[in-house]
Structure formats: structure tokens, C-alpha cells
Amino acid sequence: MTAAGPEREGALPSVSRRALLVGGGAAAAAATAAAAASRPAEAAVQVGDESTLSPWGARPKGPPEPLPRGVDLPTAPRAYTEISSYHAHIYFNEDTAYRAAQLRDWVIHRFKVELGEWNEGPRGPHTTPSFYFGFANEQVPTVIPWLMLNHLGLKILIHPNTDDPYADHLINALWIGETQPVNAFRMARSAKATGGDIERIYPNTLPTLPLET
């Protein structure tokens, strides 16, 4: 017989100890349930519940974020009719020039646009080889979606033409594909003030193919 002492590691506890553990566990469970019952029920947040969600989606309502320091809001929005036309600048390099040539050919045969020169080096605010085409306001619903689906992995800058060439290129432009630097920081803030005119479009292509639909 072995002498009485602490239970060996791995051995089952004695009957009396098992009873104590079971009893203690039951008491703890009962205490937890009682505490939970005493707390007020939490309201369930349902996706789409306007009473608990922000108008921006599933983010709980909270105080609005303050404007960044130094940012002033205009008293009224600008009129979209300030835009007289648009330019699309397609950028390429020696490895992607063949794709740019393909895109240029597609554009020529599908859109009545003002096709610009093929520039194999930086020109104006454009820091890499590029070509551009200008298009009229009424072509926005077709030209921009078409480019979104047919950019061939090229970087494309689309900017409006207004009285503010600086903002047109650096602030109010949109990109298809990746972005890249545009050196327009010295461009005029007002074309009229410098004796220039807002960019007009003079189409020089004659489409021969219908758009794919």
C-alpha cells in the first residue's frame, strides 16, 4: 500500500473532491447567469437600421469629423457648365508604346475627337512620352466608360478644360489606371487673365467603326 498524500499527477481526483468541483462549477454558472439577467438587455444593431447607422453605411453614428486646418469651404458649388471640353492624356514608355499605339488606333476609328501629336518625350506639364485627344462634354458618358474598360494597362489622365488650367490638371482631374507626377505647378490660375482662351475642341478624326455594345 502507498502512503496517503497528494494525488499523483494525472490521477483522477477523489470522490469528495470531484463533488466539490462540480458543486463549485454549478454555483459559478448560477452566479454568472444571475449577473447577466440583472444587466439591461443590449439593443441589437441591425444592418440597415437607420436609427443606429450612419448615412454612410454600417458605421455607427458619431460627431462629424472637423475640416482639416486651413481648409475653407466655398460658399456655393461651381457650375459644371464652366467646363468647355476635356482632354485625355495617355502615357507610355518604350515598353508600352505598342499598347498606346493600339489604343490610339482604336480611338481614331470609334470617336470624333481632336487627336493630338504623338510625343516621344516630355512635353508641357507631362513628364513622360504621351499622346492626347480632346473630346466634347456630350461625349463624357461614352468616352470615359470606354477608356475604363479599354485602357490596356496604361496610365490615363482625364482633365476638364476651364478657366483654371492649374486646377484642371492638378486638382480636378481624374485618373484611369495608376497615377504619375504632372508638372503643372507653373500653369496659370486663370487663362483669361493671361490673355488665353479656354481650350476648345476641333475634331480631326472621322470614326469608321461603331462602338461595341
Side-chain angles (χ1 to χ4, degrees), residues 89-93 104 116-124 126 128-132:
H89 295 271
I90 294 84
Y91 301 106
F92 58 88
N93 55 38
R104 186 173 185 267
E117 296 179 354
W118 178 271
N119 302 305
E120 295 188 348
R123 182 170 180 176
H126 310 290
T128 63
S130 67
F131 77 91
Y132 91 92

Side-chain angles (χ1 to χ4, degrees), residues 85-92 100-119 126 130-137 139-140 142-148 150-151 154-161 169 176 199-205 211:
S85 61
Y86 292 84
H87 280 174
H89 295 271
I90 294 84
Y91 301 106
F92 58 88
Q102 175 68 79
L103 181 58
R104 186 173 185 267
D105 186 67
W106 283 355
V107 169
I108 290 172
H109 288 94
R110 288 166 175 79
F111 298 102
K112 190 175 182 180
V113 298
E114 180 184 81
L115 186 67
E117 296 179 354
W118 178 271
N119 302 305
H126 310 290
S130 67
F131 77 91
Y132 91 92
F133 66 88
F135 56 99
N137 293 353
Q139 292 176 289
V140 167
T142 51
V143 170
I144 293 180
W146 188 88
L147 286 173
M148 288 177 173
N150 296 288
H151 55 81
L154 299 168
K155 302 171 183 177
I156 301 178
L157 167 70
I158 298 176
H159 69 77
N161 290 312
H169 287 79
I176 294 177
E199 187 76 36
R200 305 295 176 183
I201 295 301
Y202 300 97
N204 56 9
T205 62
L211 279 177

Side-chain angles (χ1 to χ4, degrees), residues 44-63:
V45 176
Q46 300 293 330
V47 174
D49 183 349
E50 295 182 357
S51 66
T52 58
L53 299 183
S54 160
W56 305 108
R59 180 178 173 184
K61 289 181 178 178

Side-chain angles (χ1 to χ4, degrees), residues 23-89:
T32 301
S38 65
R39 292 196 301 267
E42 296 181 0
V45 176
Q46 300 293 330
V47 174
D49 183 349
E50 295 182 357
S51 66
T52 58
L53 299 183
S54 160
W56 305 108
R59 180 178 173 184
K61 289 181 178 178
E65 296 183 4
L67 284 174
R69 181 176 299 176
V71 174
D72 296 321
L73 291 178
T75 57
R78 295 174 66 183
Y80 73 92
T81 51
E82 292 182 34
I83 300 174
S84 74
S85 61
Y86 292 84
H87 280 174
H89 295 271

Side-chain angles (χ1 to χ4, degrees), residues 2 5-15 17-18 21:
T2 59
E7 296 174 358
R8 298 185 307 276
E9 183 177 355
L12 291 175
S14 64
V15 175
R17 186 177 179 189
R18 287 201 301 269
L21 291 175

